[in-house]
Structures are given as C-alpha cells and as structure tokens.
Amino acid sequence: MQLINRAMAGTLESSDAQISIAPGKDGIVLHIQSTVQNQYGRAIKQSVLDTLSKLGIENAEVDVNDRGALECTLRARVECAAYRSAGIEAGIPWEEM
Amino acid sequence: MIQRKKPERFRLRRTMIFLSAQKPGLIKDPLIYGADSLMLDLEDAVAENQKDAARFSLYHALKTVDYGDTEVIVRINGLDTPHWREDVRVCVAAGADGVRIAKCESAGDVIAVEKAVEAAEEEFRKEKGRTLLMAALESPKGILNAQEIAAASGRMFGIAISGGDLRRTMQVSPVRGGIELNTARGLVVLAARAAGVQCFDTVFTDLNDEEGFRAEVLLDKQMGFDGKSLVNPRQIAAVHEIYAPSEKEITAAEKIVRAVRENAAKGVGVFTVDGKMIDIAFLPGAERTIALAKACGMYKGEL
C-alpha cells in the first residue's frame, strides 16, 4: 500500500487507541505510548507491526497513543489510518484484513 | 477468527439494542446485557467523518468477539448516501447476521440492498442467501409502503418503526399513550402480519421516565409487536419481563394444546376448556405462548 499523507484514526477514549501514520523512508519508525505499557507494550508493538506488514507497508512513521485498546481495536485503527493515508475510501479488500 | 453460524430468519427478537460501531468500549462485551439482538450502528451514531473508522472497527469486532447466540444486525447508512454500498460489503465479509436498511421507503429500496448483499456474498464466497434483511420505516411514505417493503425479499425478517424521523415529518412529538404514532404502529403491525414477517417498535429515549417506558412496552406487546428497539442496556430487563407470559397464560396454553390434540384424535373439532370455547384456531397462539415461555426459561413441561 502506498502511503501519501499523514493520517490519523481513533480517539483517546478508554479502550481505544489513536494512531497517526505518515509515509517514511527508513523502515517502520514506531512510537508507542500506552496506559498499559508495562503489561502490554510488547504485544501492542507486535500487533501494530503485524497489521502494517499485512497491509504491505514497509516504510512509515507510526505513533500509537493507546488507552487500553483490545487487539481487534488496535488493528482496526491502524488499518483505518493507513487507508486514510493512502486516500482509499471504498472497495476495501475485507477478506484480507 | 470467529465464524458465525447461519442466521435464523425467525427467532425470538424482543430486544434489539443500538450500539455505535465506532465505540470500542461499547462493542467489545455487549452480550453480557442479555439482549436478543445487537444493532451495531454505522449510521446516525457515527459522525460523517468517522464512517470508515466504524467499518474497520465493526469488521474486527465481528471477527474476534464471540457474540454467541446473540444476534448481530448492522444498521447501514441510507441509500441516499455514498456509504451504504461499502457498509454492505463489510457486513457480509464480516459475517453479520443481517442488515437493517435505514430510511426504507419502497420495495425498490429493499431490492437494491438485496442486490448489493448478493454481490458481496459472491465476492466474499459466503453462502448465498445467508445475510438477512430488515427495514426501518422512518417516513410517512415508508409506513404507507410497509406491506410491499415487508414482502419485497425472502431475506426480510422484519420491519421496524423509527420514531425520531417519523415524528419530525409528521410534525408531532412523543405523547404519553402514543396517540401520535397510533396509525403508524397499527399499519406496521398489519403489514408485517400480512407479509408473514416480524415487527418492532421504535426506541423510547427518556431514560428517566421508567413508568412511561413500561407503559409503551406494554402497548407494543398488546398491539402485537414482536419486540422493541432500545437505546440503553437498562431497558432490556423490563421488556423481557413485560413480554414474558404469565403463569396463568402458560397453564391455559398448555391445556389448550393438550385438549386440541386429544379431541382431534377423537374426531371432535370444537369443545370447551375451563368454560371457554376452543377450536383449532386457538392452537397457534397457544403454541407461541409455550415457545415464548420456554425461551424465557419459564416452561419445563413436556410440550
């Protein structure tokens, strides 16, 4: 997937996560801030990296501000931010998500 | 990945609770409320610039949260918006049990959604005909076309009144006793029964008026609605309680079912049970009471 603009998705409400994503040059540069960093920091990182890899994104700057989101929410927010960045609104390949 | 089982077109639907698909806190564990159906909303509860986010959130919720036997219906955006086709695609891909068509006004609207659903079932290799449909009637035109809407597709399981928009276009506001929606409610129940589908009444939004809510639920039950749309989990228990048959009704229903069977075996068509005339016409009602009592956990007999 070709990222074009900086884009965001998600909120700072409890159980949600706010993701910001922008085109990058040197692989995935990931910053994570989480209310549950000590317990789940590594799991969050893994989910975000997995989701980006599934989307075929190899270079990006990604900021995660997590408020205790479940993994399914993290994935949803990362995908939404990525598709917004790429400017794709419809025809999402749902079976690949 | 959760694979939801094939949806049942006709099942118990006393309570259908609205939850915004965009809110992670709301959609992760709503099955603890015990509603018969969940209505994950992509329409009015989701801001215009968050429609895409709600779809991703909906997709992953359906794929990872086990909603068990609780039915999951998705309210899609109106056919006059650019959103509804993608809404249909995500519903079908994620395996939602059904789609609620917002602001439905004609059989043509149902057929348009049915075509999109069918195309999505093919695209995502789902069983053809799996995804159910229901329609929300929110305008005078929708109410007057209730019968053709209810009968427009073999996927249709019900029609619902959506009172917010309907009251606005009728230039009325909620009244104790419900006289302002009297005709609409009557027409919707009639149309649903004529088409052989279920019908659901609109939400009651004043959470502080417990007495008014209970009165409206009782009215719905007496008019023949199968259930009610709800805005808050606090409303679920009251609907289930009001819709539950009484012990007296269950006993009477049991006697009728047994008497009809015994008399049929003897070749008798009309007879009395506890002083009341009974014939075969009473059987479906009595059987429905027993089925409802079973669903409410109130009947443990042999029928």
Side-chain angles (χ1 to χ4, degrees):
Chain A
M1 175 185 287
Q2 184 70 42
L3 301 180
I4 301 165
N5 301 304
R6 174 170 289 279
M8 284 193 12
T11 71
L12 296 177
E13 287 171 32
S14 174
S15 305
D16 204 347
Q18 196 166 62
I19 312 286
S20 166
I21 189 166
K25 284 183 191 129
D26 314 308
I28 305 290
V29 181
L30 178 59
H31 295 286
I32 296 172
Q33 196 186 329
S34 172
T35 51
V36 290
Q37 187 95 31
N38 293 339
Q39 300 94 318
Y40 295 109
R42 258 184 279 180
I44 294 168
K45 184 178 171 189
Q46 201 52 53
S47 299
V48 174
L49 291 176
D50 275 356
T51 309
L52 292 170
S53 147
K54 253 181 141 177
L55 293 168
I57 296 169
E58 288 163 357
N59 297 293
E61 289 171 27
V62 183
D63 290 314
V64 176
N65 194 339
D66 170 67
R67 299 294 161 112
L70 292 180
E71 194 193 357
C72 60
T73 304
L74 269 177
R75 288 185 184 274
R77 297 315 191 199
V78 171
E79 286 164 2
C80 181
Y83 274 95
R84 283 178 178 177
S85 168
I88 301 168
E89 283 171 29
I92 307 292
W94 294 110
E95 72 281 12
E96 291 164 22
M97 291 291 126
Chain B
M1 288 288 232
I2 303 282
Q3 294 292 338
R4 291 190 58 77
K5 61 181 184 200
K6 187 174 177 180
E8 287 170 65
R9 187 169 169 218
F10 295 111
R11 50 172 284 161
L12 193 63
R13 294 185 178 96
R14 298 162 295 181
T15 45
M16 199 173 269
I17 182 157
F18 279 103
L19 301 161
S20 167
Q22 155 69 1
K23 300 250 182 205
L26 288 181
I27 60 177
K28 65 187 167 75
D29 46 18
L31 75 163
I32 58 166
Y33 304 144
D36 292 327
S37 309
L38 306 176
M39 175 69 61
L40 302 183
D41 192 11
L42 295 174
E43 199 212 11
D44 288 354
V46 178
E48 186 62 26
N49 63 359
Q50 299 299 326
K51 300 292 187 189
D52 55 343
R55 284 193 287 262
F56 285 102
S57 166
L58 171 78
Y59 182 82
H60 286 285
L62 275 165
K63 282 299 183 185
T64 54
V65 180
D66 186 356
Y67 292 107
D69 288 332
T70 307
E71 183 175 52
V72 184
I73 306 291
V74 178
R75 176 161 78 164
I76 63 168
N77 286 283
L79 304 194
D80 55 347
T81 70
H83 310 298
W84 74 273
R85 287 182 186 278
E86 192 64 17
D87 292 347
V88 166
R89 286 184 72 244
V90 73
C91 288
V92 172
D97 297 333
V99 166
R100 175 172 166 131
I101 308 167
K103 301 186 176 68
C104 189
E105 294 207 309
S106 67
D109 289 349
V110 176
I111 290 159
V113 175
E114 182 178 48
K115 278 188 181 152
V117 166
E118 214 170 284
E121 283 173 347
E122 205 174 300
E123 180 185 358
F124 298 110
R125 288 182 293 285
K126 302 282 178 186
E127 184 185 336
K128 191 181 161 192
R130 181 188 184 282
T131 317
L132 304 175
L133 297 177
M134 68 172 289
L137 313 178
E138 317 191 18
S139 65
K141 197 176 160 195
I143 299 290
L144 289 172
N145 288 337
Q147 200 182 342
E148 65 162 55
I149 290 168
S153 161
R155 293 174 188 259
M156 284 286 286
F157 69 81
I159 50 178
I161 298 185
S162 193
D165 282 328
L166 184 61
R167 286 195 185 94
R168 184 172 49 73
T169 43
M170 293 303 295
Q171 302 168 15
V172 294
S173 29
V175 179
R176 191 55 83 88
I179 188 69
E180 87 287 7
L181 287 185
N182 204 28
T183 307
R185 284 193 173 113
L187 286 172
V188 165
V189 176
L190 270 170
R193 295 295 169 242
V197 301
Q198 295 179 327
C199 51
F200 314 99
D201 194 27
T202 186
V203 295
F204 187 89
T205 52
D206 185 355
L207 293 174
N208 295 320
D209 184 5
E210 169 84 22
E211 198 192 323
F213 175 67
R214 294 185 73 95
E216 190 166 287
V217 175
L218 188 62
L219 175 77
D220 293 339
K221 182 189 179 186
Q222 289 169 339
M223 287 190 80
F225 282 98
D226 291 280
K228 192 164 184 64
S229 306
L230 305 177
V231 288
N232 192 293
R234 271 164 49 194
Q235 298 177 317
I236 296 169
V239 179
H240 288 182
E241 182 200 316
I242 291 166
Y243 265 77
S246 66
E247 289 293 341
K248 217 170 129 188
E249 285 169 323
I250 299 168
T251 311
E254 192 172 14
K255 276 189 186 167
I256 289 169
V257 173
R258 288 186 194 283
V260 169
R261 287 183 189 167
E262 282 163 22
N263 282 285
K266 285 188 282 185
V268 179
V270 61
F271 46 87
T272 60
V273 173
D274 292 340
K276 288 189 189 122
M277 187 214 82
I278 299 294
D279 60 17
I280 190 77
F282 287 80
L283 187 61
E287 285 176 338
R288 209 168 38 248
T289 301
I290 299 288
L292 184 60
K294 279 184 189 167
C296 298
M298 296 173 68
Y299 183 76
K300 306 256 185 312
E302 290 159 1
L303 292 179

